[in-house]
């Protein structure tokens, strides 16, 4: 049986899979950032939702990445709820 790392490596060797993976990298990178910030803050999704005056499923969707594209204002509220500030930057391609 393959490990997750081996399976990922094998899948990413296929150009079409690598292209799709790269296309979603920013969205899932943001999701990882959100989850990390909440974990560091020691909060549950329900606690973040309460601070944002919303419900836990909304936080789950936000942290799940994928189709949901949150507004800057939503990201700002999330950042405040987990004790962070929002910083949005454009980084030149190398």
């Amino acid at each position: 049986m393959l490990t997750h790392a081996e399976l990922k490596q094998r899948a990413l060797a296929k150009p079409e899979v690598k292209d799709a993976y790269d296309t979603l990298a920013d969205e899932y990178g943001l999701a990882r950032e959100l989850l990390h910030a909440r974990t560091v803050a020691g909060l549950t999704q329900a606690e973040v939702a309460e601070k944002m005056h919303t419900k836990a499923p909304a936080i789950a969707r936000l942290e799940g990445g994928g189709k949901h594209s949150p507004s800057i204002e939503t990201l700002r509220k999330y950042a405040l709820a987990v004790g962070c500030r929002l910083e949005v930057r454009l980084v030149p391609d190398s």
Side-chain angles (χ1 to χ4, degrees), residues 15-86:
E16 67 277 9
V17 173
K18 175 86 168 90
D19 288 345
Y21 183 85
D22 290 345
T23 298
L24 295 172
D26 290 337
E27 291 179 46
Y28 286 104
L30 174 59
R32 280 191 300 276
E33 286 277 333
L34 296 173
L35 183 57
H36 176 75
R38 180 173 61 78
T39 301
V40 168
L43 298 170
T44 65
Q45 288 181 340
E47 290 167 330
V48 172
E50 185 176 329
K51 288 174 178 267
M52 291 178 64
H53 305 289
T54 189
K55 299 187 185 301
I59 303 305
R61 284 190 302 275
L62 189 60
E63 291 179 352
K67 291 194 320 186
H68 184 71
S69 295
S71 68
I72 296 294
E73 184 57 27
T74 297
L75 293 173
R76 187 177 289 121
K77 287 178 183 178
Y78 186 98
L80 181 63
V82 298
C84 294
R85 65 182 172 82
L86 179 63

